[in-house]
Amino acid sequence: MSMDMTTVGDTGLLDTLQHEVALFARRAEQTRLGGVGQVRNSMDRAAYLLLNRLDNEGPMGVKALAASMGIDSSTVTRQVAPLVDTGLVKRTSHPEDGRAVVLQLSPRGKSRLEEVRSSRRQLMADLTRDWAPEEREVFCALLTRFNGALSARMSVQGAPGPEGGRSES
């Protein structure tokens, strides 16, 4: 909805929405929504999203990984290097074209990812402890829809989309 289509009542609501989104972004970055306990803040957002993607979609090349995440190949290459160095991701030869390299979640990466997921899941449970299950479902649906709209807008503008939405989790 463009601003010229808003009513006077919508303007106040949209001001509140943009302010709350700005606060959320700042707080999420400050806390990195990293979970609880010893695992808290132990994996940055880029690593978490890359590992999740490899876990959800399986081994793939850099270009395919970049395309599926809406970022460029050079960014993926830069972000995946420390994951390879620490043994969370392994590079293997493509099964059909031995010259091509495929990135794959290692057993250590899978274990580490589950540890971080569990910690973050606990944080989400703590933050929404007094919410009804239906409220959690509505919030997830709306946040997924919001992230989808952001991603679509970025695609139209020719910029890489934000990492978000259900497919990234």
Side-chain angles (χ1 to χ4, degrees):
M1 175 186 289
S2 66
M3 287 303 289
D4 60 340
M5 295 175 60
T6 62
T7 64
V8 173
D10 288 339
T11 301
L13 184 61
L14 294 173
D15 284 347
T16 299
L17 178 60
Q18 68 80 24
H19 179 75
E20 291 300 324
V21 168
L23 283 175
F24 171 77
R26 182 176 69 197
R27 289 184 179 133
E29 199 56 39
Q30 285 172 338
T31 65
R32 295 171 57 201
L33 291 180
V36 296
Q38 292 181 341
V39 179
R40 185 174 184 272
N41 293 334
S42 63
M43 184 179 289
D44 70 33
R45 181 184 65 236
Y48 184 72
L49 292 171
L50 284 166
L51 294 177
N52 261 307
R53 180 64 66 164
L54 290 172
D55 187 42
N56 292 334
E57 295 187 16
M60 65 180 78
V62 169
K63 286 183 182 178
L65 184 56
S68 73
M69 296 183 71
I71 57 181
D72 62 50
S73 296
S74 63
T75 301
V76 168
T77 299
R78 186 178 65 251
Q79 291 175 349
V80 87
L83 300 176
V84 171
D85 292 344
T86 57
L88 301 178
V89 170
K90 57 184 179 177
R91 289 187 174 108
T92 59
S93 296
H94 191 284
E96 296 166 12
D97 179 0
R99 297 169 297 164
V101 174
V102 174
L103 301 170
Q104 181 176 2
L105 193 61
S106 70
R108 181 170 182 243
K110 177 82 171 169
S111 173
R112 184 77 180 98
L113 178 60
E114 187 48 45
E115 182 180 43
V116 172
R117 277 182 182 154
S118 178
S119 175
R120 290 179 177 196
R121 194 178 304 118
Q122 183 61 52
L123 175 63
M124 294 300 111
D126 291 350
L127 293 173
T128 62
R129 184 168 312 286
D130 62 344
W131 295 20
E134 300 79 24
E135 290 175 310
R136 286 179 179 173
E137 288 175 23
V138 168
F139 184 72
C140 285
L142 291 174
L143 190 56
T144 298
R145 184 174 169 191
F146 187 80
N147 279 327
L150 278 174
S151 185
R153 181 176 200 82
M154 296 302 290
S155 293
V156 167
Q157 294 175 347
E163 304 304 347
R166 198 102 179 126
S167 62
E168 297 295 331
S169 59

